[in-house]
Amino acid sequence: MTRQTRKLEHIKYAVEMPEVLGQSGFADLRLVHNALPELNWDQLDTSCSFMGKQLSAPLMINALTGGHAEVRVINRELARAAAATGIGMAVGSQRAALEDPMVRDTFTIAREENPRGLLLANLSAFCTLEEALAAVDMVEADGIQLYLNVSQELTMREGEANFSGCLANIKQLVHNLPVPVLVKEIGCGMALETVAALAKAGVRYLDIGGYGGTNFTAIEGKRAGEINIPLEKWGLPTAISLLEALNAGMGISIVASGGLRTAEEAVKALTAGATLVAMAGPLLRVLMQEGPEGLVVYITEFITNLRRVMMLVGAQKPVELSQKPLVITGLVAEWLERRGIDINRYARR
C-alpha cells in the first residue's frame, strides 16, 4: 500500500462513513440571548487577523488532502473557495510530495489559486527541520501545522509505535522555523497537561482537534478491515478539550476544530476563548456533493449565520465574544469541575 493510495482511501472513507453528530460536547455549552444588542446589522464585522493575515471571519478550512494526482482538484477548489470567501486554509500532510516531486502540484495548487490568503503547510510533528522548511517553501506558507496522531498510528496498518522525542522535536522546530508553528491534534483532543507542555516548549498556536469530527482512527480501522474498531471512541470531546486548553493559562492562540457544524457552535467556541474555528469534513462533503459553487455558497452562508449569532449575543466583533456569557452544563460541566476548572466564571454575570 503506497502513501499516495492511502490518501485516496482517506478521502473515500471520510466522505462515505456516516457522520456521528452530537459527540463534540457543544450541546452542553449555551449562549445567553441578548434581547437588547444595541447594534445595527451593518455595524457587525466578522473580520479578524491570524498569523499576520487578515481574514473575513475567524474560520479556516482545515487540513484535508494532497499527495495523489486525483485529489489535486480538491485542493484547487478548496483554495478557490478560501480565496473567494476570505478565510484561511491548511493543506494536508505534505510527506508524499517530499518523497515524490511528481505530486508537488497537488499542494502547490493551493497557493496558485489563493496567492494572498492565509495558507498553512502540514507535516507530522516528527518531521525534521529540513523537511519542515521544504514544506513551508513548497506552498509559500504563512505557518505550518505539525500534527499529532497517536491513536491513528496505533490503528493504521502502516503505523508507527515509537512516539518518544516528539516534544523535543517540536521545540527545535518552533525555535528554528521562520514561520509560526501550530501544533494540531487530528481528532482526539488535547488535555490541559499537553497544552502546558507544548507552551513550555515555545508553541504559541494550537489546534485542539477534539473528538466529534472526522474520525481518522475509525477510518484506519475501516481500511484495515476491522469490524470492531479498537479506540474508535477514544479522545476528548472538542468542547472539553477546548476548555481544558484555554485553562492552561499560557497565552496560546487556540483553534477549535473537531465536529463543529454550525455557526452557533462556532460562536460558542469563540465565546469560550478560541481565536479561530476550523472545519474539514463538512466542507469536503459539500464540495463532493454540491460542487465548487455550492461550497462557496455554504461558506458564505456560514459567515452570514455567524453574524446573526453575534447579533443575538450583542457582539459587534469576534474579539468581543470572549466577554459574553457562556453557561456550561451537563457532562462538560461535570468533567471540568472534576478536573478543577472553574466553570462559573464563564457565566460572566
Side-chain angles (χ1 to χ4, degrees):
M1 176 67 65
T2 67
R3 190 181 301 274
Q4 292 185 37
T5 301
R6 187 162 77 241
K7 297 296 182 182
L8 282 182
E9 290 189 347
H10 285 167
I11 292 294
K12 174 180 181 291
Y13 285 115
V15 173
E16 290 182 357
M17 289 180 66
E19 285 193 277
V20 181
L21 303 177
Q23 303 297 308
S24 63
F26 280 99
D28 287 345
L29 274 55
R30 300 297 297 268
L31 298 166
V32 177
H33 173 59
N34 185 342
L36 289 170
E38 294 292 338
L39 292 171
N40 185 300
W41 178 260
D42 294 333
Q43 292 178 303
L44 297 178
D45 179 9
T46 61
S47 67
C48 68
S49 63
F50 189 75
M51 290 188 179
K53 286 292 181 74
Q54 192 72 10
L55 303 177
S56 67
L59 178 63
M60 181 169 69
I61 301 172
N62 225 344
L64 268 170
T65 191
H68 192 289
E70 292 184 30
V71 300
R72 181 179 182 274
V73 66
I74 295 177
N75 273 343
R76 183 189 71 194
E77 299 305 337
L78 291 174
R80 286 179 177 177
T85 58
I87 65 173
M89 177 181 170
V91 297
S93 174
Q94 293 165 260
R95 171 64 58 188
L98 296 180
E99 296 176 352
D100 180 4
M102 294 296 290
V103 296
R104 280 173 56 95
D105 68 333
T106 68
F107 298 99
T108 58
I109 189 65
R111 180 52 85 192
E112 292 168 14
E113 295 292 341
N114 191 5
R116 292 178 293 277
L118 174 71
L119 185 63
L120 303 187
N122 182 289
L123 278 177
S124 163
F126 281 98
C127 69
T128 66
L129 177 60
E130 292 72 23
E131 289 168 340
L133 287 168
V136 169
D137 181 67
M138 186 188 305
V139 295
E140 301 173 42
D142 302 293
I144 184 170
Q145 287 184 338
L146 301 178
Y147 63 83
L148 305 173
N149 67 332
V150 176
S151 179
Q152 180 187 13
E153 292 287 349
L154 292 175
T155 310
M156 190 188 309
R157 290 191 302 247
E158 313 88 339
E160 299 291 336
N162 182 2
F163 306 105
S164 59
C166 186
L167 187 60
N169 193 58
I170 290 171
K171 183 175 182 179
Q172 179 201 20
L173 294 169
V174 167
H175 288 93
N176 289 282
L177 285 170
V179 296
V181 169
L182 181 151
V183 178
K184 169 183 169 32
E185 233 292 346
I186 58 90
C188 293
M190 294 186 189
L192 187 153
E193 295 85 352
T194 300
V195 175
L198 289 167
K200 189 175 180 180
V203 176
R204 291 295 172 262
Y205 297 90
L206 288 178
D207 181 339
I208 50 102
Y211 177 82
T214 302
N215 190 329
F216 276 97
T217 304
I219 288 173
E220 295 299 347
K222 289 290 187 182
R223 289 185 60 240
E226 300 277 358
I227 297 175
N228 297 312
I229 301 171
L231 305 177
E232 182 178 9
K233 296 183 180 180
W234 180 264
L236 298 177
T238 302
I240 288 176
S241 179
L242 172 62
L243 288 158
E244 287 223 3
L246 291 165
N247 279 274
M250 301 293 185
I252 297 178
S253 293
I254 305 290
V255 177
S257 72
L260 284 95
R261 295 291 182 268
T262 67
E264 183 179 352
E265 290 177 337
V267 171
K268 289 178 180 180
L270 297 167
T271 302
T275 303
L276 213 68
V277 296
M279 302 169 65
L283 303 182
L284 176 61
R285 288 186 178 90
V286 171
L287 176 61
M288 301 296 281
Q289 295 168 7
E290 302 180 27
E293 296 81 7
L295 179 59
V296 171
V297 169
Y298 181 90
I299 295 171
T300 302
E301 290 180 349
F302 191 96
I303 296 172
T304 297
N305 288 331
L306 195 69
R307 296 182 71 192
R308 289 189 174 110
V309 184
M310 286 171 57
M311 175 71 86
L312 292 172
V313 299
Q316 183 177 352
K317 300 177 180 180
V319 69
E320 297 177 8
L321 288 170
S322 62
Q323 303 305 313
K324 301 301 177 182
L326 182 71
V327 178
I328 304 172
T329 65
L331 175 62
V332 174
E334 181 182 350
W335 175 287
L336 295 174
E337 287 171 348
R338 295 192 178 207
R339 291 279 282 165
I341 295 172
D342 178 17
I343 65 170
N344 292 319
R345 66 187 182 87
Y346 289 95
R348 301 184 179 109
R349 289 187 60 188

